[in-house]
Amino acid sequence: MSTAPTTLRDTAADTGRGVLEARLTNLSREEFARDVWGRAPLLTRGAGDFSDLFSASAVDELISRRGLRTPFLRVAKDGSTLPESSFTSSGGVGATVADQLDDTALWRSFADGATLVLQALQRTWEPIADFASRLGTELGHPVQANAYVTPPQNRGFDDHYDVHDVFVLQIAGTKRWILHEPVHPDPLRDQPWTDHRAAVADAARGEAYLDTVLEPGDVLYLPRGWLHAAEAQGAVSIHLTLGVHTWTRHALAEQLTRAALALLRDDPEMRGSLPLGVEGPDDELDLVRRRLVEALGEADPAPLFHRARRGRARPGPLGPLAQLAAVDGLSAGTPVRLREALEARLDGGRLSTRAGWLDFPEADLPPVRRILDGEVHHAGDLGLPFVERLLRAGVLVPAGP
């Protein structure tokens, strides 16, 4: 029997009209990949109504009622980030946490022209969490979400570039965006714009690639490295930034090299010491290069790649009480499904997920393959001991009736 890896498929994307096409670009995934992805900005006017994802009332609730802590919020003004101590305080009686958001201090900063940046909304706001998870599955790259809330006629940050691609979704108000071409195309994660501060400042004084005002419902896609600055116009501006943390060939090269070095650990000659009194590597480089090239040809970076991919995001939510009720009440008619955003992958008899890994005998592999379709199944069709094991492992979750 074949042991080819089996991976959870994104059924929403397979319909040909996932969130990328239906809500962000009006382009199919194939068109976006061919003509836009990583190449140039894309402005989509009137892409849709995003009030189901975020709103002004969501901003107020997150700041005033959710007990958020840093780093779930940053505050910026005139290109600088304010110290956390200026907008945090104790949580009060029964919550001895010193760095909860202080809504009074935040109000004063906002009224004084500061931009509020709500970070990692894929962890704190359910509609965005679901949306970001679906988009990340469609793109094959993890997605995070921040919201930028800017007072009228203010900007939070000066011209800069990001080290990840972004989709900007204008939620409320209007914001002027000025774009310039990259000074350092396709920057890696450890190549921030501050490494090219002078070049960024010089380019920002030149002719803009795009100078436009985003209105509610507009979407702007920016590949990493593109310079941008944005300023709210005559009203409070709220926009979402969906940051796409792209996998790169450089990252794949790193994983390939690590896999090759792991192979060389088993080579006694490579573990040997350099000659006594050696003053430099020259005399040994020919041997090391030859063995390294051989190891690169044999190495398989796929396990490291998939492990890193799983580690870049969290699985979908799991309620411990609902999970316990499902275990205690398990019957043949119990509906279950694979937990969302698990990055489930079957290699041989091992199921690897963001919740951990499980090994299965050959007889249990058919139900494992069945659950990878992401659909709802009844426990009796899969086998009660099998379902109980995966419920306890946090791989399966109870599905709605």
Side-chain angles (χ1 to χ4, degrees):
M1 180 177 291
S2 171
T3 59
T6 305
T7 305
L8 173 65
R9 294 172 62 86
D10 175 39
T11 53
D14 289 344
T15 64
R17 189 168 170 79
V19 296
L20 180 68
E21 175 182 356
R23 305 206 61 181
L24 298 180
T25 67
N26 296 328
L27 299 175
S28 69
R29 184 167 52 173
E30 292 72 21
E31 291 171 325
F32 182 80
R34 182 189 66 230
D35 302 329
V36 180
W37 173 249
R39 291 175 173 81
L42 175 68
L43 174 61
T44 304
R45 295 289 188 192
D49 178 8
F50 300 119
S51 59
D52 61 318
L53 297 181
F54 207 60
S55 64
S57 61
V59 174
D60 284 345
E61 180 176 338
L62 284 163
I63 287 175
S64 65
R65 298 184 180 277
R66 291 294 184 96
L68 292 186
R69 305 171 60 188
T70 57
F72 284 107
L73 185 131
R74 285 186 298 154
V75 180
K77 185 181 179 184
D78 299 329
S80 298
T81 301
L82 275 60
E84 295 176 355
S85 59
S86 69
F87 58 87
T88 58
S89 64
S90 170
V93 175
T96 54
V97 178
D99 63 347
Q100 285 191 348
L101 304 188
D102 184 331
D103 46 9
T104 302
L106 285 170
W107 154 243
R108 291 170 179 166
S109 294
F110 183 71
D112 193 39
T115 290
L116 310 182
V117 185
L118 287 155
Q119 302 193 128
L121 286 169
Q122 78 278 4
R123 294 289 302 141
T124 60
W125 196 249
E126 183 177 359
I128 291 178
D130 295 340
F131 190 87
S133 177
R134 291 179 62 194
L135 180 61
T137 300
E138 287 182 29
L139 297 178
H141 300 263
V143 174
Q144 72 159 97
N146 294 348
Y148 294 77
V149 187
T150 306
Q153 309 302 327
N154 280 274
R155 67 162 62 179
F157 300 94
D158 292 331
D159 295 271
H160 65 285
Y161 65 72
D162 294 321
V163 294
H164 50 263
D165 291 26
V166 299
F167 289 91
V168 177
L169 286 61
Q170 190 68 27
I171 304 296
T174 57
K175 204 163 195 178
R176 180 187 179 192
W177 285 76
I178 301 176
L179 277 54
H180 291 86
E181 295 189 18
V183 299
H184 183 66
D186 299 321
L188 300 175
R189 295 285 296 168
D190 59 354
Q191 296 175 324
W193 74 272
T194 50
D195 290 351
H196 304 273
R197 191 185 298 271
V200 168
D202 184 60
R205 290 189 289 267
E207 182 179 356
Y209 176 88
L210 179 66
D211 185 341
T212 189
V213 174
L214 295 191
E215 299 181 351
D218 292 345
V219 175
L220 176 64
Y221 165 74
L222 283 177
R224 57 195 165 104
W226 279 77
L227 310 185
H228 56 276
E231 182 175 299
Q233 300 299 285
V236 172
S237 167
I238 304 173
H239 78 261
L240 284 176
T241 292
L242 303 176
V244 185
H245 293 256
T246 54
W247 296 103
T248 65
R249 294 181 181 89
H250 186 271
L252 185 57
E254 289 181 323
Q255 290 155 350
L256 177 61
T257 303
R258 286 175 57 193
L261 290 174
L263 291 177
L264 293 179
R265 290 169 61 90
D266 295 329
D267 184 333
E269 190 168 11
M270 291 299 293
R271 296 200 305 269
S273 302
L274 295 179
L276 193 66
V278 65
E279 294 183 357
D282 294 347
D283 293 340
E284 303 294 326
L285 277 180
D286 287 344
L287 171 64
V288 171
R289 284 197 177 102
R290 185 172 67 254
R291 294 292 175 84
L292 180 58
V293 168
E294 293 170 355
L296 288 170
E298 300 173 7
D300 178 11
L304 286 174
F305 176 84
H306 291 296
R307 190 182 310 154
R309 181 182 177 125
R310 290 192 296 270
R312 290 285 291 275
R314 295 171 61 101
L318 182 149
L321 300 186
Q323 200 75 0
L324 179 60
V327 172
D328 289 345
L330 186 62
S331 68
T334 300
V336 295
R337 60 172 174 80
L338 192 70
R339 188 176 174 186
E340 293 180 355
L342 265 190
E343 282 287 339
R345 181 179 176 83
L346 182 63
D347 288 296
R350 172 163 292 186
L351 178 66
S352 298
T353 77
R354 285 181 172 139
W357 53 265
L358 296 167
D359 288 328
F360 294 92
E362 183 69 26
D364 282 349
L365 292 183
V368 174
R369 295 190 181 95
R370 289 187 64 187
I371 66 170
L372 288 178
D373 63 8
E375 301 295 328
V376 175
H377 298 275
H378 288 97
D381 297 332
L382 300 171
L384 294 185
F386 171 84
V387 171
E388 180 177 355
R389 182 187 180 193
L390 269 65
L391 284 170
R392 292 188 178 279
V395 172
L396 290 179
V397 294

